[in-house]
Amino acid sequence: MHFSLAILNANELTIAEKIEKYSGENTIELSQLLKTKEGDTLSYLNFLLENCSNNDLAVLTEDYLMTNIEFAIKAKEFKYANYSEDIFKHFVLPHRVSQEPLEDWREKFYTELKPLVEEVEDIEEAAILVNLWALEQMTFKQTSGRDQAPLTTIKRGIGRCEEMMIIYIAAARSVGIPTRTASVPFWNFTNNNHAWVEIWTPDGWKYTGGAEPANMLNKAWFTKTSQRATLITSRAFGNYESKNTIKQEDNVTTISSIEYYTDFEYVQIKIKDTNDKLVTDATVVLYAATYGGLFPITELKTDEKGLVNIPLGKGTVFVTAFKDDKLGYSILNTMENNSLEIALSEDKNFDEQFTFLFPLPFDNSDKAEQKQFLGDKYKLMRENADLKRKDRLNNQKNSIELAEYYDLSKNLEKQDSTFFENRKEFLKKCDDIAGNLKQYLYLLEKTSDPLRRKIIVNMIEKWDIKELCEIPDSTAIQTVVDIFIKAKNNFPNIPDSIFVENVIGFTRRSATPPQNGWQKDFYPKIEKLICKNSAKTVKRVIKWVDKNITVDEDFVWTYFSGSINPNDILNMKIVPEFYRTKLINSTLKLLGVPIQWKGRLEFFDGKEFVAVEEKKKKEEQDEKKFITISIFVDGEKVKADSYENFLIAKLSEEGTISNTYFDGENDSLDYKADYRYKDGDNIYIESFVRNGNGDANIIIRSIAGLDSVRIELNTPKEYLDNSDKWSDKTKQNMIKIIKEGDSLGFKLLFVRGEIPSEPEERMREQLSVKTEEFQKSNVDLILYSEIRAIADLDDLRGKFKIIKGDKIISEDIENYPVIFLLNKENEIIFSSVGYNMGIADLLLKKVK
């Protein structure tokens, strides 16, 4: 299949021009570097600088680049490193993996991993050994905000799937294993997404989960989930040519990987104007149904024939097309059609209801048959890696030593049940800080100043664990504490609660810079901006920011645009609007001005929160709008739950429909929402309900000017159940456990296997957040741990009845957990095996 491919580069600058524009203080050394190097080193240096994001140009130094190139070249020497220069440059050489902050990992990982793989000849075996090493460094736990870099992940010992992917790819590339990111931006049949790793082999690209080893490639806990994917993409650093390339844009290549996972269709989308003529260079966006509405999963451009060609898995997507302020849309079910035609129109209003349908999971064993490695010793090696990580992290747990400092910092609070619950959460969080906790404990032990002690405790409470682990040492923490003390004294009349929440606390996740010690050099640049009141301080800060940076409205963001700190933003000088806002936010908070985000940046003026900046032009000004949202499912009114069964969205100037900021709360079942709106905005309510298979009935409706909206949804009628697969022996074992209780209600039995896994953690988390709903529905939650200790489940006591025992599942189960739902007569009414992202809501429907 030939893909009509447009190479789109908004930055048509030479390497020298890019360095001059964005590298600031590093311009001279980077320019000189290009003049003094030669041969392969110069070629690789040109490749990295030509293709790196503008963000990285503000951060990259000569030492970083030369170390990266030197050790990437060393990685070519391994026995299995038999691949082309093209594969090396795009999938071994790159200095970063995704959007993580830059860290200098290459030499450290090469040195540590070389002894593990230097005698290995098969690249697949090397890939599996590296993954065992990655498991020793970390395991899955959901985290929030921006990605963390690999050395921070090791310090922390946990991370979400993107961070598992990042550490694995960094480690694999350090020893010459070509790897690339793979992901679904959103699964289309449930509220979630996932990221993992693809590995080059002589037999083609194969996949695995990062830091979640198996003794073969192309087989993972998410294999069956990926079989139902609509779109799976991987990315290459630079413009990489392959038969599966669907987009090359701004030195990033997006590749369709769907063929490695499931059955698919080559889909053609044709865009026409009102005169039935084909439209070139139209923006075509595909959307998944997830998190209450429609989310973009890829954006493409029509070619010179007015076409988009892309391979898609079996299922349904929503598609929009946009050009010259004209919009068109349709749904596409690839189980029925492999072509779509959309006509553009000036009408941008919606009042549509449609259903997304998806195939059931199926046996795709031909795509999973792979050679196994390490034989009988594999299981022992995996258990050993897991134990080493646990031992390291357990040895770093010192939370009990912080209890007295928490108590001292809260000495004016009433020590009631709420106090002790908050204290418990604080100490639990301290354990998760892992390798960095001793830095905070050291500072607490050496101070007798109540304010200093309180600020350190507040930082631990309010900062994300990622930031607490990221900050490099006690000196850097001390610097931040000293600045917060000055900030507290700058505006002494600000209530303590607002100072803690809106100065120490985060504004919004995406606005938080990497905590890599930037405050030490940044604060001297801004401390003279402080005035007697916050309003004057805000004005001075804005004036200072606009003096030091210039906003580039055409700034190019790419997949490889990593997070940078305020010093880097100042060094960059030519920045996007978002970085200007980020710089203002960081500056004001360090000076002690409380900040919040409510669809715009707002500061506390001593009485209330007001806009940091009012729009100067009338057409840019917006106002707050209010709307009441009522949702009915199958004729019955249900709770309107934001980002669960609805969201508010907006059409962007580029023609993409995406969620917009809104706030509000439930008044009984209705949701009272407010959002910001300006004349000419196209605002929509999006809502859906799923069945157990993930099929969704979806509504999208224009709401501009409405005070209330009523949504009526109908649940598609199809469910997925594995109740019939169990032997009598398994049923007897299960009933024996169930009968240990005296409940006469429903029973939900969650069986976890001997080996910890990401799907178990994710599914346990799904059920945990719904505990109260299960209890209200008279469901007993039982967690059974097969041949495995239960100390890690202490935080679930009171939610689940926890039992440890022998193996009860007699069948050969590859992927835990196993879930049984039984009725009052102890009969199985539903069962699932392995990963099922929509399990909690489905089970609640069953018991209701």
Side-chain angles (χ1 to χ4, degrees), residues 105-119:
W105 47 264
R106 178 83 68 170
E107 180 178 1
K108 174 180 171 60
F109 285 3
Y110 173 86
T111 303
E112 189 163 338
L113 284 160
K114 180 182 177 182
L116 186 66
V117 298
E118 60 185 340
E119 298 303 321

Side-chain angles (χ1 to χ4, degrees), residues 275 280 285 358 399 434 694 732 775 838 840:
N275 297 317
T280 63
V285 184
F358 302 97
S399 63
Q732 290 167 7
Q775 291 172 345

Side-chain angles (χ1 to χ4, degrees), residues 88-117:
F88 171 78
K89 286 200 300 184
H90 290 286
F91 305 112
V92 176
L93 176 64
H95 60 288
R96 68 156 54 256
V97 175
S98 183
Q99 295 97 39
E100 76 282 4
L102 280 187
E103 280 184 345
D104 201 353
W105 47 264
R106 178 83 68 170
E107 180 178 1
K108 174 180 171 60
F109 285 3
Y110 173 86
T111 303
E112 189 163 338
L113 284 160
K114 180 182 177 182
L116 186 66
V117 298

Side-chain angles (χ1 to χ4, degrees), residues 61-297:
T61 63
E62 176 182 353
D63 287 346
Y64 187 99
L65 286 164
M66 295 314 299
T67 298
N68 184 83
I69 292 171
E70 175 189 352
F71 281 88
I73 292 173
K74 285 179 180 287
K76 287 183 174 184
E77 298 170 2
F78 291 99
K79 296 177 181 179
Y80 49 75
N82 300 313
Y83 37 72
S84 67
E85 270 291 286
D86 198 39
I87 291 292
F88 171 78
K89 286 200 300 184
H90 290 286
F91 305 112
V92 176
L93 176 64
H95 60 288
R96 68 156 54 256
V97 175
S98 183
Q99 295 97 39
E100 76 282 4
L102 280 187
E103 280 184 345
D104 201 353
W105 47 264
R106 178 83 68 170
E107 180 178 1
K108 174 180 171 60
F109 285 3
Y110 173 86
T111 303
E112 189 163 338
L113 284 160
K114 180 182 177 182
L116 186 66
V117 298
E118 60 185 340
E119 298 303 321
V120 176
E121 297 185 4
D122 192 305
I123 199 167
E124 294 189 43
E125 181 178 353
I128 288 164
L129 288 168
V130 170
N131 219 356
L132 285 166
W133 175 90
L135 177 66
E136 188 177 324
Q137 314 311 314
M138 72 168 303
T139 190
F140 174 82
K141 188 171 184 179
Q142 195 62 266
T143 64
S144 57
R146 54 184 171 73
D147 293 338
Q148 66 193 21
L151 299 181
T152 299
T153 295
I154 293 175
K155 188 189 294 186
R156 187 177 181 186
I158 58 174
R160 67 180 189 272
C161 56
E162 289 91 340
E163 291 148 352
M164 299 168 85
M165 171 193 79
I166 288 166
I167 192 173
Y168 178 81
I169 290 180
R173 287 177 176 176
S174 76
V175 287
I177 302 172
T179 47
R180 65 191 189 192
T181 64
S183 66
V184 283
F186 297 100
W187 299 115
N188 211 353
F189 46 85
T190 191
N191 291 5
N192 220 314
N193 59 6
H194 192 47
W196 59 92
V197 179
E198 290 179 348
I199 299 160
W200 180 91
T201 76
D203 298 325
W205 289 91
K206 299 184 179 181
Y207 67 87
T208 190
E212 45 186 43
N215 61 349
M216 67 180 72
L217 301 183
N218 275 11
K219 194 169 187 180
W221 64 267
F222 54 85
T223 292
K224 281 199 173 294
T225 306
S226 67
Q227 289 169 4
R228 306 179 72 205
T230 309
L231 177 67
I232 295 175
T233 56
S234 56
R235 287 180 174 84
F237 183 87
N239 293 326
Y240 174 70
E241 299 298 333
S242 78
K243 69 183 180 70
N244 298 319
T245 296
I246 58 174
K247 180 167 63 171
Q248 291 178 349
E249 185 173 16
D250 304 317
N251 303 318
V252 178
T253 302
T254 303
I255 303 158
S256 170
S257 296
I258 197 74
E259 69 170 289
Y260 304 126
Y261 301 88
T262 189
D263 294 337
F264 64 95
E265 291 287 340
Y266 286 105
V267 170
Q268 185 176 88
I269 302 171
K270 183 182 297 185
I271 310 303
K272 293 187 173 182
D273 62 17
T274 52
N275 297 317
D276 205 36
K277 292 183 178 179
L278 292 169
V279 180
T280 63
D281 201 37
T283 299
V284 176
V285 184
L286 277 58
Y287 302 80
T290 186
Y291 292 110
L294 297 168
F295 280 76
I297 55 176

Side-chain angles (χ1 to χ4, degrees), residues 314-330:
K314 301 290 189 177
T316 313
V317 289
F318 183 69
V319 185
T320 62
F322 188 87
K323 187 177 182 182
D324 297 334
D325 204 35
K326 295 182 176 64
L327 177 71
Y329 61 90
S330 184

Side-chain angles (χ1 to χ4, degrees), residues 483-484 487 490 518-519 522-523 526 586-592:
I483 291 172
F484 279 146
N490 285 339
W518 55 270
Q519 291 90 345
F522 185 73
Y523 190 74
I526 66 169
S586 298
T587 303
L588 290 173
K589 292 181 74 170
L590 287 193
L591 296 177

Side-chain angles (χ1 to χ4, degrees), residues 303-319:
D303 61 15
E304 67 280 359
K305 297 179 182 178
L307 304 175
V308 161
N309 293 296
I310 183 172
L312 295 178
K314 301 290 189 177
T316 313
V317 289
F318 183 69
V319 185

